[in-house]
Amino acid sequence: MPEKFLQPYDPSATESRIYEEWEQSGLFNPDESAKQGITSADAPAYSIVLPPPNVTGRLHMGHALMLAIQDTFIRYKRMRGFRTLWIPGTDHAAIATQSVVEKQIKKDENLSRHDLGREQLLKRIEKFANESHDTIVKQVKTMGASLDWTREAFTLDETRTRAVRTIFKLMYDAGLIYRGLRIVNWDPKGQTTISDDEIVYEERAAKLYTFRYSKDFPIPVATTRPETKVGDVAVAVHPDDARYTAFIGKEYDAIFCDVPIHIKVVSDKEVDPAFGTGAIGVTPAHSHVDWDIASRHELSQEIIVINEFAKMTVNGRLEGKKVLDARDTVVEWLKSEGLLEKEEDITQNVSTAERTGGVIEPLPKLQWFIDVTREIPGRGKSLKELMLEPVQSGAIQIIPTHYEKTYFHWIENLRDWCISRQIWYGHRIPVWYKGEAIIVGTPPAEEGWIQDEDTLDTWFSSGLWTFSTLGWPEATEDLRTYHPTDVLETGPDILFFWVARMILMSEFALNTIPFKTVYLHGIVRDAQGRKMSKSLGNNLDPLEITSRFGADAARMALIVGNAPGTDSRISEDKIKGYKHFANKLWNIARFVLENTENFDRSSQTELNSEDAARKTEYEIIIADVTADMEAYRVYLAAEKLYHYVWHQLADVILEESKAILGTVRTPSDASAEAKNSKKTLLIYLLDNSLRMLHPFMPFVTEEIWQSMPTKDAKFLMVAKWPLLH
RNA sequence: GCACCCUUAGCUCAGUUGGUAGAGCAACUCAUUUACACUGAGAAGGUCGUAGGUUCAAGUCCUACAGGGUGCACCA
């Protein structure tokens, strides 16, 4: 028995060394594994793409969870003999990264991005992204993740840029990408458009004002935004509202707070007669609902009264005022003119930008969109249908299944996807203009063309991730072999942002699903069930945790009992428990190795009936755990193994074996046959337990394996998963 | 407002196709310097949120209600 077993197991001395050995073996790469004759060339493929961590900072517990779960899937399949590929990568995370760097520059040098200019700012962001990338890769490795680093991708590198430009062109030519003037969600703070999904609603106290445009205007109107009323072109009422039917079709002129306005009374079914006065002042340019009403009634949508900085653009007393100041001014004016009829306190859901917290100002803007309802030429279906069908048919399975309903619900409410962003870091829109002419997809060779200033929503390029990482648009061997991928493992918070967009992109570009299974994990919370956050200071740093307890312990603590789609709690005590377990396993190995030293395994092939019963009992565990692994129930498999190894193998079987094998204090008079049977059993149980625990606790199992008499592969990582015969 | 999820031991949570209620932690009693104190043995702890229903059989399926959470929508 090697001397190392005389000491308690020390993960910090072991883990980095083993990871290095694995990496040097090249066996994270399925091609290398086939070359070395470990995987057969015609073995089925199994692939996962790692959801690329943002290059904005450090690894957090959510990353650690994702790495632990995926590495467990991957190591299991690798041991089952699949050509197993796990692709690493990082995400440029456009807005997130740019705002981190902008904030830093503002703080350190008091400069804005406009002071620096596009080129300079991009250089600074890239430098930050590179440093951040290196840190993250190092951290990913400490978790034991068996990623094929030879295939590492970045969402903004050359291959991915080619993929983005290619698909943009394909969608443009298919009539799915268009540029149009629409009401968008404008974030005045971030100075960019954001998608519907990036909005968070905040409940705030507000006032509902009831007023008339002028003394002779017949209908009172209620609003929370009096300042926008200088942009009104109509009043909409419900067609069946008896109070107002007499006025439908009539037009009125007024001077509203120094601004001349022309108001037409229209009827529209969208109006709720029960709310306010039952009449809506229609401001087409500054409200989604009003824009749609204006479209239906062919009203002017061109009167813009608020600009990108949320300031008033009209002449008169409101000129240049911020919207909130303008609101006060209009209310004062209404009061002085005797036009204000009522002022009520209400609570209102205000749209704010998820990232900056800025209050969203709906504005009409010339933006790029993806049309999700238009029929795709030659396909007879819309993108919406392409997103819906594979989940409906079961081609894609979402775990837990109830998220399928959430998914369908989202698709039903889906509107065209605004894909242009007014930030600088990201894939620049591949469109070039020269006067009226435009070129889409590939940059023109001649001079004089100007590229669109905007960049693409980061989810546009992320949507390509399953196949852009495999070399698309080239028809690569990787693409043929590993796509569709097997599992996408991620959090439910990006089900719409990302999962849905990946289905859209893959279905459009390749006419196939991007993955067969979506495994959604929950949020990792602290011991009290609170979200981990900087402001609470309750973050557990995965690096600090692994250095104190070992990556194996952290992985087990994250996986055991953590059912998909359910939030989990983690605490140092829990992690400590699994550090103890690693040590327990270590000592089981010590006991078994110590007691089977110089044992000729070929001398004993038959187990006696008592030991055979133990083996049969164990075979049930193998079958059970294997079934769990196949069904992605890793949280159950891990718990069962833990329980068996500690409370059956160690507490019962090892203890019983002492009487047979004898100890220093109590010599045994058992027969040689009984002893040999017991030794055979112990080696069998330890060997197979190491194999089954490996996907969960790769380091300690690998370290023990290197001293096993049953060692039949250079690394446990590529040894065979136990199968029943 | 609509949808979805959760409610099981003191705490945190599992419970797969309906088939004798489980784990970890904590607490209790005892043992022990041992493969391992990063230990072991034992005992205790439950009307499975409430009320109905289906079934030979319900923690599990159905209905209603209550409490907690999440997502979506949204009023001008």
Side-chain angles (χ1 to χ4, degrees):
Chain A
M1 182 194 64
E3 292 252 319
K4 66 187 181 191
F5 286 105
L6 299 175
Q7 300 294 319
Y9 175 63
D10 178 8
S12 61
T14 311
E15 294 184 345
S16 54
R17 169 172 51 79
I18 289 186
Y19 194 88
E20 220 164 278
E21 286 172 28
W22 284 334
E23 229 186 334
Q24 276 167 13
S25 76
L27 293 173
F28 293 161
N29 180 346
D31 302 334
E32 183 61 27
S33 182
K35 210 165 105 191
Q36 293 185 26
I38 292 166
T39 334
S40 66
D42 57 353
Y46 183 87
S47 58
I48 299 180
V49 279
L50 177 73
N54 292 353
V55 288
T56 48
R58 299 166 63 84
L59 219 61
H60 53 66
M61 271 297 168
H63 291 125
L65 173 68
M66 150 183 114
L67 291 165
I69 294 175
Q70 290 173 38
D71 195 42
T72 300
F73 294 165
I74 285 287
R75 285 180 185 271
Y76 168 69
K77 288 291 179 177
R78 191 183 286 124
M79 292 177 77
R80 289 299 301 265
F82 285 74
R83 293 175 70 183
T84 308
L85 174 63
W86 189 17
I87 306 178
T90 46
D91 189 351
H92 69 282
I95 293 184
T97 310
Q98 178 168 329
S99 64
V100 166
V101 176
E102 273 189 78
K103 264 182 209 155
Q104 196 59 42
I105 293 172
K106 184 81 195 166
K107 195 179 150 208
D108 295 347
E109 301 158 48
N110 197 27
L111 295 174
S112 77
R113 66 161 140 154
H114 300 285
D115 297 329
L116 284 173
R118 187 167 191 143
E119 205 178 313
Q120 266 304 312
L121 182 78
L122 285 180
K123 264 190 193 158
R124 301 281 287 264
I125 296 172
E126 274 157 27
K127 183 165 173 275
F128 170 83
N130 280 334
E131 287 165 4
S132 185
H133 163 268
D134 295 349
T135 313
I136 279 173
V137 166
K138 226 171 103 193
Q139 294 176 341
V140 167
K141 290 180 178 180
T142 64
M143 290 303 298
S146 55
L147 288 149
D148 180 5
W149 295 102
T150 65
R151 285 175 164 90
E152 191 186 348
F154 179 51
T155 49
L156 207 54
D157 64 18
E158 209 178 300
T159 313
R160 265 46 68 177
T161 300
R162 191 160 60 241
V164 163
R165 288 181 173 180
T166 306
I167 201 157
F168 190 98
K169 169 92 168 127
L170 286 172
M171 288 184 141
Y172 180 83
D173 289 345
L176 300 175
I177 286 186
Y178 66 91
R179 198 182 194 206
L181 186 70
R182 291 294 141 87
I183 288 266
V184 295
N185 309 304
W186 179 263
D187 171 14
K189 214 166 171 182
Q191 286 293 301
T192 182
T193 310
I194 62 168
S195 68
D196 295 341
D197 302 292
E198 289 165 287
I199 290 177
V200 283
Y201 292 97
E202 272 181 31
E203 206 166 80
R204 292 186 187 177
K207 284 199 192 310
L208 183 67
Y209 302 96
T210 304
F211 71 99
R212 287 172 201 260
Y213 292 102
S214 64
K215 288 261 191 286
D216 55 349
F217 194 81
I219 304 171
V221 170
T223 183
T224 53
R225 299 201 58 187
E227 75 281 8
T228 64
K229 300 293 108 185
V230 293
D232 281 13
V233 298
V235 164
V237 298
H238 195 273
D240 304 331
D241 194 332
R243 292 172 293 179
Y244 307 130
T245 40
F247 307 110
I248 293 168
K250 295 203 166 146
E251 303 191 25
Y252 302 84
D253 283 297
I255 304 290
F256 190 87
C257 204
D258 300 346
V259 182
I261 56 172
H262 181 81
I263 304 287
K264 183 180 180 185
V265 180
V266 298
S267 73
D268 197 289
K269 288 199 187 100
E270 286 297 300
V271 181
D272 175 6
F275 186 86
T277 63
I280 302 180
V282 180
T283 324
H286 300 290
S287 153
H288 282 102
V289 179
D290 295 6
W291 177 272
D292 292 342
I293 293 176
S295 300
R296 285 196 288 274
H297 299 278
E298 294 179 352
L299 300 164
S300 165
Q301 294 167 319
E302 282 155 24
I303 302 173
I304 292 171
V305 296
I306 297 168
N307 68 12
E308 286 89 342
F309 301 97
K311 287 183 178 166
M312 305 303 294
T313 58
V314 294
N315 294 325
R317 72 188 79 189
L318 295 178
E319 189 170 345
K321 284 198 170 167
K322 288 185 182 167
V323 288
L324 289 180
D325 298 338
R327 188 170 304 167
D328 295 339
T329 307
V330 172
V331 172
E332 285 307 309
W333 177 82
L334 286 170
K335 279 181 186 163
S336 68
E337 296 290 315
L339 294 170
L340 189 65
E341 299 192 351
K342 214 178 356 172
E343 195 176 327
E344 303 162 76
D345 288 315
I346 59 161
T347 53
Q348 188 191 24
N349 280 332
V350 177
S351 317
T352 64
E354 185 183 43
R355 194 135 335 249
T356 65
V359 175
I360 296 302
E361 198 59 64
L363 285 180
K365 287 218 147 255
L366 195 56
Q367 300 286 331
W368 289 94
F369 294 87
I370 291 182
D371 190 328
V372 293
T373 48
R374 186 192 168 105
E375 191 179 300
I376 305 162
R379 299 283 282 276
K381 284 171 192 169
S382 67
L383 289 173
K384 215 172 184 171
E385 288 166 310
L386 289 187
M387 278 192 270
L388 202 55
E389 281 173 5
V391 180
Q392 260 170 352
S393 72
I396 296 175
Q397 193 204 359
I398 301 179
I399 302 175
T401 35
H402 69 254
Y403 274 103
E404 288 175 4
K405 287 185 187 164
T406 312
Y407 180 81
F408 296 142
H409 190 243
W410 177 80
I411 301 237
E412 278 162 31
N413 291 313
L414 190 62
R415 291 188 288 183
D416 285 0
W417 173 17
C418 176
I419 52 170
S420 44
R421 296 291 182 276
Q422 290 67 48
I423 60 167
W424 290 342
Y425 189 50
H427 289 283
R428 200 157 163 184
I429 290 180
V431 175
W432 289 263
Y433 308 94
K434 189 182 198 174
E436 293 295 299
I438 80 165
I439 286 179
V440 175
T442 22
E446 324 87 77
E447 304 265 303
W449 292 84
I450 296 163
Q451 187 171 6
D452 198 296
E453 286 291 317
D454 290 354
T455 50
L456 287 162
D457 180 5
T458 184
W459 299 106
F460 185 95
S461 52
S462 304
L464 316 177
W465 197 237
T466 58
F467 52 97
S468 68
T469 49
L470 293 169
W472 190 87
E474 309 317 322
T476 60
E477 184 63 35
D478 270 6
L479 197 59
R480 248 193 314 281
T481 311
Y482 297 109
H483 203 273
T485 62
D486 287 87
V487 192
L488 179 79
E489 195 280 339
T490 189
D493 51 330
I494 51 176
L495 184 60
F496 312 138
F497 281 125
W498 195 36
V499 177
R501 268 70 180 264
M502 287 169 105
I503 297 173
L504 181 158
M505 292 295 191
S506 175
E507 284 287 349
F508 174 77
L510 300 170
N511 205 3
T512 181
I513 52 174
F515 30 69
K516 296 161 198 160
T517 303
V518 178
Y519 184 102
L520 299 170
H521 60 241
I523 298 168
V524 184
R525 296 171 178 274
D526 74 1
Q528 282 88 50
R530 301 171 305 179
K531 275 191 187 179
M532 294 190 184
S533 72
K534 269 186 199 160
S535 52
L536 279 173
N538 60 345
N539 281 307
L540 283 182
D541 175 2
L543 282 192
E544 199 239 345
I545 291 294
T546 47
S547 75
R548 284 171 58 206
F549 305 108
D552 287 335
R555 292 166 61 121
M556 279 296 272
L558 285 163
I559 285 182
V560 171
N562 185 355
T566 319
D567 292 355
S568 61
R569 302 185 182 203
I570 197 150
S571 60
E572 286 199 13
D573 279 349
K574 190 174 180 190
I575 301 164
K576 201 195 278 172
Y578 291 104
K579 182 187 171 167
H580 296 174
F581 179 58
N583 193 55
K584 189 76 182 178
L585 189 62
W586 186 251
N587 278 291
I588 291 168
R590 173 182 169 181
F591 180 89
V592 173
L593 294 176
E594 213 166 27
N595 283 287
T596 58
E597 232 161 13
N598 306 319
F599 170 54
D600 176 9
R601 288 194 297 133
S602 61
S603 70
Q604 182 76 20
T605 50
E606 292 282 306
L607 295 175
N608 61 34
S609 65
E610 185 194 316
D611 292 336
R614 291 300 188 203
K615 189 179 173 193
T616 306
E617 165 193 287
Y618 190 70
E619 282 168 347
I620 294 168
I621 301 282
I622 295 179
D624 201 15
V625 167
T626 304
D628 283 340
M629 296 305 280
E630 285 297 321
Y632 293 110
R633 293 188 296 260
V634 287
Y635 59 106
L636 292 183
E639 192 174 2
K640 285 170 187 168
L641 286 168
Y642 171 86
H643 197 247
Y644 177 85
V645 168
W646 197 313
H647 300 298
Q648 185 65 15
L649 178 55
D651 291 350
V652 178
I653 298 175
L654 252 60
E655 289 305 322
E656 279 176 357
S657 74
K658 286 178 183 173
I660 307 289
L661 300 174
T663 62
V664 184
R665 305 165 86 211
T666 51
S668 157
D669 55 1
S671 67
E673 283 77 19
K675 285 185 178 175
N676 286 350
S677 172
K678 194 62 81 184
K679 287 177 186 178
T680 305
L681 176 71
L682 289 180
I683 290 173
Y684 167 83
L685 293 177
L686 176 58
D687 173 82
N688 285 295
S689 297
L690 289 175
R691 290 175 197 256
M692 289 199 288
L693 278 169
H694 179 76
F696 303 96
M697 311 182 81
F699 291 112
V700 67
T701 52
E702 184 73 79
E703 179 67 2
I704 295 169
W705 167 263
Q706 294 302 323
S707 307
M708 286 294 285
T710 49
K711 182 182 165 190
D712 57 7
K714 191 176 176 213
F715 292 106
L716 178 55
M717 180 177 78
V718 290
K720 293 269 171 290
W721 179 266
L723 285 182
L724 300 170
H725 308 291

